[in-house]
Amino acid sequence: MKLVLATNNRNKIREIKDKFSDIRGLTLIPLSNIPNPPEIIEDGATFHENAAKKALGIARFTGLASMADDSGLVVDALDGRPGILSARYGKADATDKDRNLMLLEELQGIRPDKRSARFVCVIAFAFPDGKCFFSAGRCDGMIADSMRGKHGFGYDPIFYLPEIGKTMAELTLEEKNKISHRARALGAARELLLSLI
Ligand code: ITT
């Protein structure tokens, strides 16, 4: 079975490949291998809506099954921000580091017990006929008071896991892929994939 990964985020692709590489009979096709894919506007109101838009848009365009990931960081003290806007939080030309520093600034003076946050990931599988299936995962933690760690991407350096005593960016890919929101969502998605192959 061929499955197009409807994402432009190379870090997501790495994590997905690491999780699915052992599935026999599954060929993962990165979006970069598809000539002139349509631009998908992520204007949905939820992670589910945006994941479905990305997966359906690419499934219809390629005529192949497609999988998309919509994910983000939900911070309780910020009423859920950045949430679905995680990739675009802050200034238009902001880097991951800029976004992390901005969040730390926004949470300055907030006590540790009020710094709870979670990563959320929704995976959508879509088919050219318009059928769409979802799986979701979350990972709970808190916002650290500084950036730590060199692995991962996005908000990993400021996402602290109290039970492990490290930020997500201090975990190797293998360690992150045991506990992350994406790993959990992919675990459920895997069952669906296996039933389709
Ligand atoms: P695609 O839409 O092409 O998949 P994207 O990066 O724009 O790529 P999203 O719209 O789903 O993806 O935004 C997800 C953002 O949430 C991502 O850019 C990070 O800032 C953050 N994020 C998601 N998962 C993360 C993770 O595992 N670690 C750190 N940050 C993460």
Side-chain angles (χ1 to χ4, degrees):
M1 178 186 167
K2 287 183 178 164
L3 183 65
V4 183
L5 299 180
T7 174
N8 294 305
N9 183 320
R10 280 185 292 138
N11 294 291
K12 287 184 183 178
I13 292 180
R14 238 158 61 92
E15 293 181 11
I16 294 167
K17 282 194 169 159
D18 182 68
K19 268 291 200 207
F20 283 178
S21 60
D22 63 322
I23 302 182
R24 291 177 72 188
L26 179 69
T27 307
L28 298 174
I29 304 173
L31 194 55
S32 54
N33 283 16
I34 307 292
N36 306 314
E39 192 196 342
I40 314 276
I41 311 293
E42 294 184 44
D43 57 0
T46 61
F47 291 111
H48 280 80
E49 277 179 38
N50 284 333
K53 275 197 94 169
K54 292 188 264 193
L56 278 169
I58 298 303
R60 290 200 170 109
F61 179 76
T62 57
L64 296 170
S66 165
M67 188 180 99
D69 162 313
D70 201 60
S71 46
L73 177 67
V74 174
V75 180
D76 293 317
L78 300 177
D79 297 325
R81 289 198 319 275
I84 57 168
L85 298 176
S86 291
R88 289 155 279 156
Y89 200 49
K91 293 202 190 106
D93 58 349
T95 61
D96 280 349
K97 185 176 176 194
D98 295 335
R99 278 188 272 273
N100 280 319
L101 293 175
M102 185 175 139
L103 264 180
L104 289 176
E105 179 97 20
E106 284 188 289
L107 288 195
Q108 216 173 26
I110 307 269
R111 296 195 325 240
D113 61 325
K114 300 277 183 217
R115 297 175 79 94
S116 55
R118 65 199 157 280
F119 274 128
V120 174
C121 175
V122 173
I123 298 285
F125 274 116
F127 296 87
D129 66 2
K131 281 202 193 75
C132 194
F133 301 90
F134 297 98
S135 67
R138 61 184 271 180
C139 178
D140 289 89
M142 58 188 281
I143 303 302
D145 48 20
S146 62
M147 293 176 67
R148 266 184 15 216
K150 295 273 174 264
H151 299 287
F153 67 101
Y155 300 97
D156 283 340
I158 60 165
F159 191 79
Y160 182 71
L161 298 149
E163 280 143 42
I164 301 179
K166 290 181 177 176
T167 68
M168 197 74 111
E170 292 179 297
L171 303 184
T172 62
L173 173 68
E174 205 186 14
E175 288 168 338
K176 180 178 175 184
N177 255 352
K178 287 195 180 117
I179 54 126
S180 80
H181 49 311
R182 182 160 301 102
R184 289 179 176 140
L186 290 172
R190 185 189 176 90
E191 300 303 315
L192 179 67
L193 260 182
L194 292 175
S195 73
L196 294 172
I197 288 173

